[in-house]
Amino acid sequence: MQDPGPAPHVMRNADIDPKAEKRAEQQVAILFGLSGVSSLLLIYSYVFIASDVFVFIPVMGSQNVQQLGLGLGMSFSLLFLGLGAIHWAKKLMPETEVINHRHEFRSSDEDRDELVKTVKHAAAEVKLGRRSLIKRSLGFSLGLFALPPVLLLRDLGPLPKKQLETTNWKAGTRLVTDPGNRPILASDLEVGAVVQTLPEMPDETERLLSDIAKDPVLLIRIRAEEFQLSPEKLAMTHDGIIAFSKICSHMGCAVALYEQTTKHLLCPCHQSTFDVTRGAKVIFGPAARPLPQLDITVDEEGYLIARAPFNESVGPSYWERNSQ
Ligand code: FES
């Protein structure tokens, strides 16, 4: 059967009507412009919105605004860039069918010269030189699109310095429930009780994500005579109540499982197991050191307070090996 060949060429509006051509050109420019504006949103979110900012958005709950801005900026930047390119190709680029013959690896010099001529000819046909609006908007869009990856290099620094070694626990800070933010009376804790706590803050809304990552403390009450602690560690407890950092000393997961009969705390990530009676000594798993113990006592009203900050870094051992 004979090859019917390509379908007859149908002229587009933009091919025959200069007004339609101008309109299509403006539409392409708008799409590239929107892509550039989206990249600006990404850059703004990255540079000017603090990563710890929260807003309450009904339906979605608390959202990290910075992450939202980065995601929307990147998505719309790519989307509008793609839409602009497609629209440009469909409405304005020449529709001539081109057959690309295969050649063995390196083409002959004649073919290469021919290719250069063809490219120049095609460039002339696309009229890029004349379409300065598209040229400028595309340059605007691509230029800004290339910026965010460079900006992201900022995440390589600066070094955290002392941030990883300090928490919000200070002498006199009350322990409050999490969630609930209520101070805890020592007399309210029965033997066997386990409570997750955070340091009380004057304004709860100022608590940052980075605080929540470092500050949680587990409060456990056992019978005082069950402790097998050095006098120094025993002095950091109050009437059978002992407080440990909840951040695993292996890789920083939340040590969330307490087995009341054995008095063991278990980290669900890699099964490090800590013995509460012996000051969270590691009895199984990859953790290299006990959970840091918080020195606690009660204030004149009977509420539990920290007597001093942690005397060692909380969390994974690898960033504070010097203090071991
Ligand atoms: S993070 Fe807890 S055992 Fe690995």
Side-chain angles (χ1 to χ4, degrees):
M1 196 176 131
Q2 207 184 345
D3 182 358
H9 181 64
V10 180
M11 299 295 269
R12 301 162 300 185
N13 268 354
D15 293 332
I16 47 178
D17 178 1
K19 279 190 185 159
E21 184 187 9
K22 192 75 198 161
R23 207 165 40 241
E25 193 176 343
Q26 285 167 345
Q27 288 163 347
V28 172
I30 288 171
L31 289 167
F32 285 153
L34 287 173
S35 166
V37 171
S38 304
S39 293
L40 285 176
L41 169 67
L42 191 158
I43 294 166
Y44 176 84
S45 307
Y46 184 76
V47 177
F48 296 108
I49 300 180
S51 59
D52 288 319
V53 170
F54 283 89
V55 287
F56 181 74
I57 301 176
V59 183
M60 293 172 72
S62 291
Q63 290 290 314
N64 186 315
V65 181
Q66 187 186 41
Q67 300 301 320
L68 197 63
L70 291 176
L72 289 178
M74 175 65 83
S75 312
F76 284 120
S77 173
L78 283 170
L79 177 70
F80 288 125
L81 190 59
L83 288 178
I86 291 170
H87 199 55
W88 183 14
K90 284 182 97 71
K91 296 285 179 186
L92 296 168
M93 293 230 183
E95 282 194 307
T96 329
E97 277 201 26
V98 177
I99 298 170
N100 187 14
H101 294 288
R102 291 193 179 188
H103 301 281
E104 280 184 56
F105 301 111
R106 186 185 189 285
S107 308
S108 67
D109 288 341
E110 295 77 42
D111 287 347
R112 290 159 72 95
D113 290 344
E114 195 57 35
L115 176 70
V116 173
K117 266 192 224 154
T118 309
V119 170
K120 283 185 177 160
H121 177 68
E125 283 232 311
V126 170
K127 300 176 191 161
L128 196 55
R130 279 180 42 209
R131 299 199 195 284
S132 57
L133 188 57
I134 287 187
K135 209 162 62 176
R136 281 201 295 268
S137 57
L138 181 60
F140 171 72
S141 163
L142 289 179
L144 285 172
F145 186 71
L147 260 183
V150 177
L151 278 177
L152 292 179
L153 293 176
R154 200 184 74 162
D155 279 348
L156 294 176
L159 290 173
K161 298 187 183 158
K162 292 278 177 196
Q163 281 173 357
L164 298 175
E165 298 169 25
T166 55
T167 65
N168 287 305
W169 292 104
K170 298 182 181 60
T173 307
R174 273 184 176 170
L175 286 77
V176 294
T177 55
D178 174 33
N181 200 38
R182 291 184 307 276
I184 302 161
L185 281 169
S187 54
D188 282 351
L189 291 181
E190 296 176 354
V191 171
V194 186
V195 182
Q196 175 169 313
T197 68
L198 286 171
E200 186 175 43
M201 283 197 162
D203 183 356
E204 180 63 11
T205 58
E206 282 179 9
R207 205 184 290 284
L208 305 177
L209 256 189
S210 52
D211 296 332
I212 294 169
K214 291 189 298 183
D215 290 346
V217 155
L218 275 180
L219 210 53
I220 300 168
R221 183 164 206 170
I222 62 176
R223 279 189 291 276
E225 60 273 20
E226 290 177 291
F227 283 130
Q228 302 168 47
L229 299 172
S230 65
E232 189 192 30
K233 293 261 178 186
L234 192 59
M236 292 164 71
T237 67
H238 174 79
D239 199 16
I241 303 170
I242 192 164
F244 297 112
S245 166
K246 195 182 174 184
I247 313 302
C248 185
S249 55
H250 177 226
M251 292 184 79
C253 286
V255 178
L257 305 172
Y258 177 58
E259 198 177 52
Q260 209 174 61
T261 44
T262 56
K263 317 269 181 309
H264 290 168
L265 276 169
L266 180 79
C267 176
C269 287
H270 312 101
Q271 282 72 53
S272 284
T273 308
F274 306 88
D275 184 350
V276 170
T277 60
R278 289 188 282 167
K281 184 177 175 189
V282 183
I283 54 170
F284 181 78
R289 66 183 177 110
L291 298 171
Q293 184 179 339
L294 184 68
D295 191 351
I296 54 168
T297 183
V298 290
D299 62 15
E300 60 282 357
E301 295 174 71
Y303 288 108
L304 284 159
I305 57 169
R307 188 164 20 210
F310 279 108
N311 60 7
E312 58 185 315
S313 305
V314 302
S317 313
Y318 44 75
W319 57 52
E320 53 88 57
R321 287 205 173 104
N322 296 343
S323 65
Q324 285 191 68

